[in-house]
Amino acid sequence: MRFLFKTSYAQDLRLAKHGGQVFWYGLLCLLLVAAPLFTPEYWLAQLTFVLIYAIVGLGLMLLAGYTGLFSLGHAAFLGVGAYTQAVLTGMGWPFFLSLGCAAGISAAVGIVVGLPAMRVKGIYLGMATLAFGFIVEEGFARWESVTGGNSGMPVGTPEVLGYALDTATSFYLLCLAITAACTLVILNLLRSPTGRAFVAIRDSEISAQSMGIHLAYYKTLSFALSAAFAGIGGALYAHKLQFISPDQFSILQSIDLLLMIVIGGLGSVHGAFLGALFLISMPQLISLGKDWLPDSVGQSPGLQGLVYGVVLIAFVLFEPMGLYGRWLKVRTWLQMFPFYRQGMFKRQKTFQKSDRLR
C-alpha cells in the first residue's frame, strides 16, 4: 500500500504524465525550432510576439490564475522591464545581465505594490493596481532624463556572446529559449510547496491560514514573481520593437493582458500560450473581416474593442474555463467516442472559492 502511494505521488510530480505527452510536446518543440525554415518573416515576427506575451501571461497566470489576485496595472511591470533593459543595454551592459536586472527591478517594484495591497482584495485590489499603473505610466512620461518622456527612446539590437541578434530568426530563437526556460520554472514552481500554497490561498484564504500558510508572505511573493516574468517579457518586447514610449504601457495594455489569460483559461499554463495566440491573431482576423463589413462598421475606430468585449462576454457565459477548458472537453469527447453520455459536456456551475468561507 505504501509503495502504491509513493508511486502515485511520484507520478503526480512528473512534468510529463505519460509517454504521449513526451511525444507531442517534443514534436511541438521540434516544429517551433524549425519554424524559421518554412515561415515567412512577417508570421515569424508574429510568432515572436506570441512567445513574448506568453512569458508575461505566465507571470500573470501565476498571480491571477493560481493565487487569485487580479491586477489591472500589469503593463506597468512590463514597462519597468522594458525601460530597464533599454537603459542598461544603452550603457553597454551584457544582454543577460541587463535581462536579470530587468527581472529583479520589476520584482522589487512588485514587492512594493504587493505589500500595501495585502490589506485589500477583490475589486479593491484591482483599483489599487489600476492606480499604480497610472502612476508608473505618468512616471515614464515625466522622467525625461532617463526614459525620454513622451518622445520615447530607441532600443539597440541585443548581443549574446559577441554576436548581434539582428535577424528575425536569431531573435525568435532567443525568445523561444527564454520562453521554454520560463515555462519550466513555472511548472516546477507549481508542483513545489510554494505553488501548492498559492493554490490554497486562491481556493480559501481562511483554510490556507488555518494550515499555517503565511498569507502576506506568499501573496507578496506571488506579486514579485509575476512582476519578474513581466519584466523579462518587457525586456524582449523592447528589443523586438526597438523603440518604446509611455503610451505602450497604458491601462489598455493591462486590460489586454488580463483578457489574454481569461480567454486562454485561468488556472492553466496552457492558457497563457493560448491567450497569447488569441491576443496576437485577433487583430489580424479583425483586419481581414473588415473587408466583408459595411464601411460604416468596418472603419469604426472602436471595432476591435467591441469584438474583444463580445468575445469576453461569450467566454464568461458559455466557456468560463477559456480556450484550454474547451480543448479539454474536445479531447475528452474524442477519447470517449462513441461511448459519451448526452449532456455531459454542458456547463456546470463551479466556484473556486467556498461561499461559506467568504
Side-chain angles (χ1 to χ4, degrees), residues 63 73 86 116 122 163 221 268 290 299 332 344 356:
L63 181 68
Y163 295 95
L221 179 62
S268 66
K290 286 182 178 180
Q299 303 301 324
T332 304
M344 68 178 299
R356 68 179 184 276

Side-chain angles (χ1 to χ4, degrees), residues 29-299:
C29 291
L30 289 177
L31 289 175
L32 290 175
V33 171
L37 300 177
F38 55 84
T39 305
E41 186 173 350
Y42 172 78
W43 293 110
L44 190 64
Q46 298 303 307
L47 190 55
T48 304
F49 278 116
V50 170
L51 296 175
I52 293 172
Y53 275 98
I55 295 175
V56 183
L58 287 172
L60 189 55
M61 187 69 74
L62 180 67
L63 181 68
Y66 288 100
T67 317
L69 303 174
F70 285 89
S71 171
L72 289 176
H74 224 66
F77 302 124
L78 185 74
V80 170
Y83 276 105
T84 301
Q85 184 76 6
V87 171
L88 294 183
T89 53
M91 296 170 58
W93 286 39
F95 171 79
F96 284 109
L97 183 58
S98 302
L99 186 67
C101 290
I105 293 176
S106 297
V109 176
I111 293 175
V112 172
V113 177
L115 286 175
M118 292 305 99
R119 295 183 176 273
V120 294
K121 57 183 179 180
I123 188 174
Y124 302 104
L125 177 60
M127 293 172 61
T129 54
L130 178 64
F132 165 74
F134 282 124
I135 293 172
V136 172
E137 183 185 359
E138 191 66 20
F140 290 154
R142 299 297 180 183
W143 200 2
E144 297 182 359
S145 60
V146 175
T147 64
N150 288 317
S151 300
M153 64 182 303
V155 184
T157 302
E159 293 186 5
V160 178
L161 301 177
Y163 295 95
L165 305 181
D166 52 358
T167 63
T169 300
S170 59
F171 187 74
Y172 163 77
L173 293 176
L174 174 67
C175 292
L176 180 61
I178 294 176
T179 304
C182 291
T183 305
L184 289 176
V185 169
I186 285 290
L187 290 175
N188 282 281
L189 176 66
L190 291 175
R191 64 194 187 129
S192 69
T194 301
R196 296 173 187 270
F198 289 155
V199 175
I201 292 173
R202 178 197 68 187
D203 291 341
S204 174
E205 292 187 7
I206 295 177
S207 299
Q209 195 170 20
S210 67
M211 291 187 294
I213 296 175
H214 197 292
L215 297 183
Y217 170 77
Y218 282 104
K219 284 184 177 182
T220 305
L221 179 62
S222 181
F223 258 105
L225 292 174
S226 179
F229 279 97
I232 294 174
L236 297 175
Y237 182 79
H239 280 299
K240 179 59 181 174
L241 293 180
Q242 296 188 346
F243 181 84
I244 53 176
S245 60
D247 59 350
Q248 294 172 338
F249 311 106
S250 63
I251 178 61
L252 297 179
Q253 181 75 277
S254 296
I255 294 175
D256 283 345
L257 295 177
L258 191 59
L259 180 73
M260 175 178 69
I261 64 167
V262 171
I263 292 180
L266 280 174
S268 66
V269 174
H270 298 79
F273 289 90
L274 294 174
L277 188 62
F278 166 84
L279 191 65
I280 298 302
S281 62
M282 202 62 185
Q284 315 299 329
L285 296 176
I286 294 175
S287 298
L288 293 175
K290 286 182 178 180
D291 298 335
W292 301 90
L293 297 174
D295 292 339
S296 59
V297 178
Q299 303 301 324

Side-chain angles (χ1 to χ4, degrees), residues 16 18-30:
H18 50 79
Q21 288 188 351
V22 176
F23 172 78
W24 288 111
Y25 287 130
L27 181 61
L28 177 62
C29 291
L30 289 177

